[in-house]
Structure formats: C-alpha cells, structure tokens
Amino acid sequence: MIGILAIIGLAFDGAGQLRSMQRADNLAAEAARTGGQSIDRAKAIEGGTKEIDEVAARAAVASYLAAAEVTGHTVEFPVIDGEKLVRVHVTITYDRYMLGLFGFGNAVTVSGEATARALTEGP
C-alpha cells in the first residue's frame, strides 16, 4: 500500500511541479511583454531611438506580477546587437501534497525566464 501511495504521490506532485514550471514560464513571458511595451516616449517623440524605458518597464513588470501574486522576480535589460531588451526571471514555489509524507521536501521552487523586445517598426 505504501508503494502505491508513493507512485500516486510521484504522479500527482510531479504533474503539479510541471504545471508550476509552465506557469512560471508563462508569467515571465507575459511580464516581459508588458515591460517591452514601455518605451521612452520623450526620446521617441523627438525622433530619437525607440528603446525600452527601464524605470517604466520595471514598474509595469512589478505591477503585472503583483496582480498574479508573484513576489520573486528579477528584471534585466541586456543590450544585444545595439537593441535594449527586457529579461524577466520569475521564481514561484510549489507546495507538495503527498511526497512530503515520504521524506521529500514539502515545497519545491521552480523558475521561468523570458526575454522581450520593443516592437518599434511596422510589419
């Protein structure tokens, strides 16, 4: 009976952990997309380059993730080929229901990461 419960626990908590990993990736992608929409309007209106406004992007990412009740995240702005991007790393915790009974930890931390760029030109 203990073996059967362990197998059920592996299946149940394994699937839950995979769902949490997918959720972390999805949240990171959407938060990066939200941050990528924050361009420096003053510079763009003057005819300058259209690039991501770091302060506004950080605020947009934080607001989006706060609405999703996620507190663990980091935001970076790497420059690749002269273009500023926004990279979001999200960390969430999955609480195990069954595997904790068999000596595994009660929780596992999973993370997701995504990078977005500002779309500044037409299709």
Side-chain angles (χ1 to χ4, degrees):
M1 187 64 156
I2 292 175
I4 292 172
L5 285 175
I7 291 171
I8 292 171
L10 282 172
F12 184 80
D13 283 338
Q17 185 173 339
L18 286 174
R19 281 191 309 274
S20 294
M21 290 170 60
Q22 182 180 16
R23 180 174 183 257
D25 282 336
N26 290 343
L27 287 170
E30 289 301 315
R33 180 196 56 80
T34 301
Q37 293 177 351
S38 303
I39 64 167
D40 186 347
R41 290 186 179 101
K43 190 183 285 187
I45 289 171
E46 294 173 356
T49 59
K50 297 172 186 80
E51 67 178 31
I52 295 172
D53 180 355
E54 292 185 19
V55 174
R58 283 184 196 279
V61 167
S63 175
Y64 180 85
L65 293 175
E69 299 179 355
V70 174
T71 56
H73 72 277
T74 59
V75 182
E76 300 173 345
F77 298 95
V79 177
I80 299 175
D81 294 332
E83 180 181 20
K84 186 187 296 186
L85 308 176
V86 57
R87 179 176 298 141
V88 178
H89 183 88
V90 173
T91 304
I92 60 176
T93 302
Y94 171 70
D95 294 322
R96 292 180 174 151
Y97 294 99
M98 297 184 73
L99 289 180
L101 301 173
F102 296 101
F104 292 93
N106 290 331
V108 63
T109 302
V110 296
S111 62
E113 185 174 284
T115 303
R117 66 184 195 85
L119 294 177
T120 58
E121 299 176 5

PDB file of all heavy atoms in Angstrom, residues 63-90:
ATOM      1  N   SER A  63       3.987  45.474 -11.496  1.00  0.00           N
ATOM      2  CA  SER A  63       2.530  45.576 -11.408  1.00  0.00           C
ATOM      3  C   SER A  63       1.855  44.314 -11.939  1.00  0.00           C
ATOM      4  O   SER A  63       0.924  43.786 -11.329  1.00  0.00           O
ATOM      5  CB  SER A  63       2.052  46.802 -12.184  1.00  0.00           C
ATOM      6  OG  SER A  63       0.651  46.860 -12.198  1.00  0.00           O
ATOM      7  N   TYR A  64       2.339  43.821 -13.081  1.00  0.00           N
ATOM      8  CA  TYR A  64       1.757  42.608 -13.663  1.00  0.00           C
ATOM      9  C   TYR A  64       1.942  41.412 -12.735  1.00  0.00           C
ATOM     10  O   TYR A  64       0.999  40.656 -12.483  1.00  0.00           O
ATOM     11  CB  TYR A  64       2.388  42.320 -15.028  1.00  0.00           C
ATOM     12  CG  TYR A  64       1.826  41.088 -15.666  1.00  0.00           C
ATOM     13  CD1 TYR A  64       0.659  41.145 -16.406  1.00  0.00           C
ATOM     14  CD2 TYR A  64       2.432  39.847 -15.504  1.00  0.00           C
ATOM     15  CE1 TYR A  64       0.109  40.006 -16.967  1.00  0.00           C
ATOM     16  CE2 TYR A  64       1.897  38.709 -16.054  1.00  0.00           C
ATOM     17  CZ  TYR A  64       0.738  38.792 -16.797  1.00  0.00           C
ATOM     18  OH  TYR A  64       0.200  37.659 -17.347  1.00  0.00           O
ATOM     19  N   LEU A  65       3.133  41.247 -12.214  1.00  0.00           N
ATOM     20  CA  LEU A  65       3.405  40.097 -11.350  1.00  0.00           C
ATOM     21  C   LEU A  65       2.725  40.228  -9.989  1.00  0.00           C
ATOM     22  O   LEU A  65       2.348  39.222  -9.393  1.00  0.00           O
ATOM     23  CB  LEU A  65       4.909  39.887 -11.203  1.00  0.00           C
ATOM     24  CG  LEU A  65       5.613  39.449 -12.496  1.00  0.00           C
ATOM     25  CD1 LEU A  65       7.117  39.387 -12.289  1.00  0.00           C
ATOM     26  CD2 LEU A  65       5.073  38.117 -12.985  1.00  0.00           C
ATOM     27  N   ALA A  66       2.540  41.445  -9.502  1.00  0.00           N
ATOM     28  CA  ALA A  66       1.810  41.627  -8.244  1.00  0.00           C
ATOM     29  C   ALA A  66       0.351  41.216  -8.420  1.00  0.00           C
ATOM     30  O   ALA A  66      -0.238  40.610  -7.520  1.00  0.00           O
ATOM     31  CB  ALA A  66       1.900  43.078  -7.786  1.00  0.00           C
ATOM     32  N   ALA A  67      -0.222  41.513  -9.586  1.00  0.00           N
ATOM     33  CA  ALA A  67      -1.605  41.098  -9.851  1.00  0.00           C
ATOM     34  C   ALA A  67      -1.722  39.577  -9.905  1.00  0.00           C
ATOM     35  O   ALA A  67      -2.760  39.016  -9.567  1.00  0.00           O
ATOM     36  CB  ALA A  67      -2.088  41.715 -11.161  1.00  0.00           C
ATOM     37  N   ALA A  68      -0.640  38.904 -10.316  1.00  0.00           N
ATOM     38  CA  ALA A  68      -0.619  37.441 -10.358  1.00  0.00           C
ATOM     39  C   ALA A  68      -0.148  36.843  -9.033  1.00  0.00           C
ATOM     40  O   ALA A  68       0.040  35.627  -8.942  1.00  0.00           O
ATOM     41  CB  ALA A  68       0.290  36.965 -11.489  1.00  0.00           C
ATOM     42  N   GLU A  69       0.078  37.698  -8.033  1.00  0.00           N
ATOM     43  CA  GLU A  69       0.515  37.286  -6.695  1.00  0.00           C
ATOM     44  C   GLU A  69       1.871  36.581  -6.705  1.00  0.00           C
ATOM     45  O   GLU A  69       2.085  35.603  -6.004  1.00  0.00           O
ATOM     46  CB  GLU A  69      -0.549  36.427  -6.021  1.00  0.00           C
ATOM     47  CG  GLU A  69      -1.867  37.146  -5.830  1.00  0.00           C
ATOM     48  CD  GLU A  69      -2.941  36.288  -5.187  1.00  0.00           C
ATOM     49  OE1 GLU A  69      -2.708  35.083  -4.954  1.00  0.00           O
ATOM     50  OE2 GLU A  69      -4.022  36.836  -4.928  1.00  0.00           O
ATOM     51  N   VAL A  70       2.790  37.109  -7.508  1.00  0.00           N
ATOM     52  CA  VAL A  70       4.158  36.592  -7.585  1.00  0.00           C
ATOM     53  C   VAL A  70       5.088  37.659  -7.025  1.00  0.00           C
ATOM     54  O   VAL A  70       5.050  38.810  -7.451  1.00  0.00           O
ATOM     55  CB  VAL A  70       4.546  36.259  -9.047  1.00  0.00           C
ATOM     56  CG1 VAL A  70       6.001  35.868  -9.139  1.00  0.00           C
ATOM     57  CG2 VAL A  70       3.658  35.161  -9.593  1.00  0.00           C
ATOM     58  N   THR A  71       5.908  37.282  -6.056  1.00  0.00           N
ATOM     59  CA  THR A  71       6.814  38.250  -5.447  1.00  0.00           C
ATOM     60  C   THR A  71       8.269  38.050  -5.869  1.00  0.00           C
ATOM     61  O   THR A  71       9.047  38.992  -5.845  1.00  0.00           O
ATOM     62  CB  THR A  71       6.729  38.177  -3.908  1.00  0.00           C
ATOM     63  OG1 THR A  71       7.013  36.838  -3.497  1.00  0.00           O
ATOM     64  CG2 THR A  71       5.352  38.577  -3.419  1.00  0.00           C
ATOM     65  N   GLY A  72       8.647  36.843  -6.237  1.00  0.00           N
ATOM     66  CA  GLY A  72      10.039  36.576  -6.583  1.00  0.00           C
ATOM     67  C   GLY A  72      10.303  36.786  -8.063  1.00  0.00           C
ATOM     68  O   GLY A  72       9.919  35.962  -8.886  1.00  0.00           O
ATOM     69  N   HIS A  73      10.950  37.900  -8.394  1.00  0.00           N
ATOM     70  CA  HIS A  73      11.293  38.139  -9.793  1.00  0.00           C
ATOM     71  C   HIS A  73      12.477  39.098  -9.882  1.00  0.00           C
ATOM     72  O   HIS A  73      12.747  39.847  -8.951  1.00  0.00           O
ATOM     73  CB  HIS A  73      10.101  38.701 -10.577  1.00  0.00           C
ATOM     74  CG  HIS A  73       9.770  40.118 -10.242  1.00  0.00           C
ATOM     75  ND1 HIS A  73       9.006  40.473  -9.160  1.00  0.00           N
ATOM     76  CD2 HIS A  73      10.119  41.282 -10.847  1.00  0.00           C
ATOM     77  CE1 HIS A  73       8.881  41.781  -9.117  1.00  0.00           C
ATOM     78  NE2 HIS A  73       9.551  42.298 -10.123  1.00  0.00           N
ATOM     79  N   THR A  74      13.166  39.037 -11.004  1.00  0.00           N
ATOM     80  CA  THR A  74      14.221  39.990 -11.320  1.00  0.00           C
ATOM     81  C   THR A  74      14.008  40.478 -12.743  1.00  0.00           C
ATOM     82  O   THR A  74      13.438  39.772 -13.578  1.00  0.00           O
ATOM     83  CB  THR A  74      15.632  39.366 -11.209  1.00  0.00           C
ATOM     84  OG1 THR A  74      15.727  38.259 -12.110  1.00  0.00           O
ATOM     85  CG2 THR A  74      15.926  38.906  -9.797  1.00  0.00           C
ATOM     86  N   VAL A  75      14.466  41.691 -13.005  1.00  0.00           N
ATOM     87  CA  VAL A  75      14.339  42.297 -14.333  1.00  0.00           C
ATOM     88  C   VAL A  75      15.718  42.788 -14.750  1.00  0.00           C
ATOM     89  O   VAL A  75      16.403  43.466 -13.980  1.00  0.00           O
ATOM     90  CB  VAL A  75      13.343  43.474 -14.323  1.00  0.00           C
ATOM     91  CG1 VAL A  75      13.193  44.061 -15.717  1.00  0.00           C
ATOM     92  CG2 VAL A  75      11.992  43.041 -13.777  1.00  0.00           C
ATOM     93  N   GLU A  76      16.119  42.432 -15.961  1.00  0.00           N
ATOM     94  CA  GLU A  76      17.402  42.875 -16.521  1.00  0.00           C
ATOM     95  C   GLU A  76      17.147  43.507 -17.879  1.00  0.00           C
ATOM     96  O   GLU A  76      16.126  43.235 -18.519  1.00  0.00           O
ATOM     97  CB  GLU A  76      18.356  41.691 -16.690  1.00  0.00           C
ATOM     98  CG  GLU A  76      18.688  40.965 -15.418  1.00  0.00           C
ATOM     99  CD  GLU A  76      19.491  39.695 -15.685  1.00  0.00           C
ATOM    100  OE1 GLU A  76      19.545  39.244 -16.855  1.00  0.00           O
ATOM    101  OE2 GLU A  76      20.032  39.151 -14.723  1.00  0.00           O
ATOM    102  N   PHE A  77      18.090  44.302 -18.331  1.00  0.00           N
ATOM    103  CA  PHE A  77      17.974  44.958 -19.626  1.00  0.00           C
ATOM    104  C   PHE A  77      19.243  44.720 -20.441  1.00  0.00           C
ATOM    105  O   PHE A  77      20.079  45.610 -20.576  1.00  0.00           O
ATOM    106  CB  PHE A  77      17.716  46.459 -19.434  1.00  0.00           C
ATOM    107  CG  PHE A  77      16.433  46.732 -18.703  1.00  0.00           C
ATOM    108  CD1 PHE A  77      16.423  46.935 -17.329  1.00  0.00           C
ATOM    109  CD2 PHE A  77      15.232  46.751 -19.382  1.00  0.00           C
ATOM    110  CE1 PHE A  77      15.242  47.167 -16.653  1.00  0.00           C
ATOM    111  CE2 PHE A  77      14.036  46.981 -18.718  1.00  0.00           C
ATOM    112  CZ  PHE A  77      14.049  47.188 -17.350  1.00  0.00           C
ATOM    113  N   PRO A  78      19.399  43.529 -21.004  1.00  0.00           N
ATOM    114  CA  PRO A  78      20.590  43.269 -21.818  1.00  0.00           C
ATOM    115  C   PRO A  78      20.504  44.016 -23.149  1.00  0.00           C
ATOM    116  O   PRO A  78      19.414  44.282 -23.661  1.00  0.00           O
ATOM    117  CB  PRO A  78      20.540  41.754 -22.033  1.00  0.00           C
ATOM    118  CG  PRO A  78      19.097  41.411 -21.937  1.00  0.00           C
ATOM    119  CD  PRO A  78      18.516  42.367 -20.936  1.00  0.00           C
ATOM    120  N   VAL A  79      21.655  44.367 -23.679  1.00  0.00           N
ATOM    121  CA  VAL A  79      21.720  45.017 -24.984  1.00  0.00           C
ATOM    122  C   VAL A  79      22.342  44.015 -25.954  1.00  0.00           C
ATOM    123  O   VAL A  79      23.477  43.569 -25.763  1.00  0.00           O
ATOM    124  CB  VAL A  79      22.550  46.316 -24.928  1.00  0.00           C
ATOM    125  CG1 VAL A  79      22.670  46.927 -26.311  1.00  0.00           C
ATOM    126  CG2 VAL A  79      21.926  47.294 -23.945  1.00  0.00           C
ATOM    127  N   ILE A  80      21.578  43.649 -26.979  1.00  0.00           N
ATOM    128  CA  ILE A  80      22.033  42.675 -27.970  1.00  0.00           C
ATOM    129  C   ILE A  80      21.921  43.313 -29.343  1.00  0.00           C
ATOM    130  O   ILE A  80      20.856  43.782 -29.740  1.00  0.00           O
ATOM    131  CB  ILE A  80      21.208  41.374 -27.887  1.00  0.00           C
ATOM    132  CG1 ILE A  80      21.381  40.752 -26.506  1.00  0.00           C
ATOM    133  CG2 ILE A  80      21.614  40.409 -28.997  1.00  0.00           C
ATOM    134  CD1 ILE A  80      20.543  39.533 -26.250  1.00  0.00           C
ATOM    135  N   ASP A  81      23.026  43.342 -30.067  1.00  0.00           N
ATOM    136  CA  ASP A  81      23.101  43.968 -31.390  1.00  0.00           C
ATOM    137  C   ASP A  81      22.602  45.410 -31.358  1.00  0.00           C
ATOM    138  O   ASP A  81      21.910  45.874 -32.264  1.00  0.00           O
ATOM    139  CB  ASP A  81      22.304  43.166 -32.422  1.00  0.00           C
ATOM    140  CG  ASP A  81      22.904  41.795 -32.691  1.00  0.00           C
ATOM    141  OD1 ASP A  81      24.142  41.661 -32.529  1.00  0.00           O
ATOM    142  OD2 ASP A  81      22.155  40.875 -33.053  1.00  0.00           O
ATOM    143  N   GLY A  82      22.926  46.124 -30.290  1.00  0.00           N
ATOM    144  CA  GLY A  82      22.553  47.520 -30.167  1.00  0.00           C
ATOM    145  C   GLY A  82      21.113  47.766 -29.751  1.00  0.00           C
ATOM    146  O   GLY A  82      20.686  48.912 -29.671  1.00  0.00           O
ATOM    147  N   GLU A  83      20.356  46.731 -29.477  1.00  0.00           N
ATOM    148  CA  GLU A  83      18.950  46.876 -29.095  1.00  0.00           C
ATOM    149  C   GLU A  83      18.776  46.466 -27.628  1.00  0.00           C
ATOM    150  O   GLU A  83      19.223  45.400 -27.226  1.00  0.00           O
ATOM    151  CB  GLU A  83      18.064  46.000 -29.976  1.00  0.00           C
ATOM    152  CG  GLU A  83      16.602  46.100 -29.652  1.00  0.00           C
ATOM    153  CD  GLU A  83      15.749  45.199 -30.527  1.00  0.00           C
ATOM    154  OE1 GLU A  83      16.285  44.239 -31.120  1.00  0.00           O
ATOM    155  OE2 GLU A  83      14.551  45.451 -30.597  1.00  0.00           O
ATOM    156  N   LYS A  84      18.121  47.336 -26.864  1.00  0.00           N
ATOM    157  CA  LYS A  84      17.868  47.042 -25.455  1.00  0.00           C
ATOM    158  C   LYS A  84      16.659  46.120 -25.345  1.00  0.00           C
ATOM    159  O   LYS A  84      15.600  46.394 -25.891  1.00  0.00           O
ATOM    160  CB  LYS A  84      17.610  48.321 -24.667  1.00  0.00           C
ATOM    161  CG  LYS A  84      17.494  48.076 -23.164  1.00  0.00           C
ATOM    162  CD  LYS A  84      17.073  49.309 -22.400  1.00  0.00           C
ATOM    163  CE  LYS A  84      18.097  50.403 -22.493  1.00  0.00           C
ATOM    164  NZ  LYS A  84      17.744  51.559 -21.631  1.00  0.00           N
ATOM    165  N   LEU A  85      16.827  45.023 -24.626  1.00  0.00           N
ATOM    166  CA  LEU A  85      15.759  44.060 -24.398  1.00  0.00           C
ATOM    167  C   LEU A  85      15.377  44.072 -22.928  1.00  0.00           C
ATOM    168  O   LEU A  85      16.076  44.647 -22.102  1.00  0.00           O
ATOM    169  CB  LEU A  85      16.223  42.651 -24.782  1.00  0.00           C
ATOM    170  CG  LEU A  85      16.819  42.468 -26.173  1.00  0.00           C
ATOM    171  CD1 LEU A  85      17.320  41.045 -26.347  1.00  0.00           C
ATOM    172  CD2 LEU A  85      15.812  42.811 -27.244  1.00  0.00           C
ATOM    173  N   VAL A  86      14.268  43.422 -22.606  1.00  0.00           N
ATOM    174  CA  VAL A  86      13.879  43.252 -21.210  1.00  0.00           C
ATOM    175  C   VAL A  86      13.815  41.756 -20.930  1.00  0.00           C
ATOM    176  O   VAL A  86      13.210  41.011 -21.681  1.00  0.00           O
ATOM    177  CB  VAL A  86      12.540  43.964 -20.874  1.00  0.00           C
ATOM    178  CG1 VAL A  86      11.411  43.483 -21.744  1.00  0.00           C
ATOM    179  CG2 VAL A  86      12.186  43.793 -19.406  1.00  0.00           C
ATOM    180  N   ARG A  87      14.514  41.322 -19.884  1.00  0.00           N
ATOM    181  CA  ARG A  87      14.543  39.915 -19.496  1.00  0.00           C
ATOM    182  C   ARG A  87      13.967  39.796 -18.086  1.00  0.00           C
ATOM    183  O   ARG A  87      14.407  40.489 -17.165  1.00  0.00           O
ATOM    184  CB  ARG A  87      15.955  39.370 -19.527  1.00  0.00           C
ATOM    185  CG  ARG A  87      16.029  37.894 -19.106  1.00  0.00           C
ATOM    186  CD  ARG A  87      17.437  37.328 -19.229  1.00  0.00           C
ATOM    187  NE  ARG A  87      17.844  37.390 -20.619  1.00  0.00           N
ATOM    188  CZ  ARG A  87      19.081  37.701 -21.021  1.00  0.00           C
ATOM    189  NH1 ARG A  87      20.018  37.994 -20.139  1.00  0.00           N
ATOM    190  NH2 ARG A  87      19.376  37.726 -22.298  1.00  0.00           N
ATOM    191  N   VAL A  88      12.985  38.916 -17.929  1.00  0.00           N
ATOM    192  CA  VAL A  88      12.317  38.727 -16.639  1.00  0.00           C
ATOM    193  C   VAL A  88      12.543  37.294 -16.180  1.00  0.00           C
ATOM    194  O   VAL A  88      12.358  36.355 -16.949  1.00  0.00           O
ATOM    195  CB  VAL A  88      10.802  39.016 -16.747  1.00  0.00           C
ATOM    196  CG1 VAL A  88      10.110  38.771 -15.420  1.00  0.00           C
ATOM    197  CG2 VAL A  88      10.562  40.443 -17.219  1.00  0.00           C
ATOM    198  N   HIS A  89      12.945  37.157 -14.927  1.00  0.00           N
ATOM    199  CA  HIS A  89      13.146  35.853 -14.297  1.00  0.00           C
ATOM    200  C   HIS A  89      12.166  35.764 -13.129  1.00  0.00           C
ATOM    201  O   HIS A  89      12.188  36.616 -12.240  1.00  0.00           O
ATOM    202  CB  HIS A  89      14.589  35.711 -13.809  1.00  0.00           C
ATOM    203  CG  HIS A  89      14.892  34.385 -13.221  1.00  0.00           C
ATOM    204  ND1 HIS A  89      15.313  33.322 -13.974  1.00  0.00           N
ATOM    205  CD2 HIS A  89      14.819  33.941 -11.957  1.00  0.00           C
ATOM    206  CE1 HIS A  89      15.482  32.286 -13.187  1.00  0.00           C
ATOM    207  NE2 HIS A  89      15.187  32.634 -11.947  1.00  0.00           N
ATOM    208  N   VAL A  90      11.290  34.760 -13.166  1.00  0.00           N
ATOM    209  CA  VAL A  90      10.244  34.591 -12.160  1.00  0.00           C
ATOM    210  C   VAL A  90      10.527  33.327 -11.359  1.00  0.00           C
ATOM    211  O   VAL A  90      10.876  32.290 -11.921  1.00  0.00           O
ATOM    212  CB  VAL A  90       8.856  34.492 -12.828  1.00  0.00           C
ATOM    213  CG1 VAL A  90       7.782  34.156 -11.819  1.00  0.00           C
ATOM    214  CG2 VAL A  90       8.525  35.775 -13.556  1.00  0.00           C
TER     215      VAL A  90
END
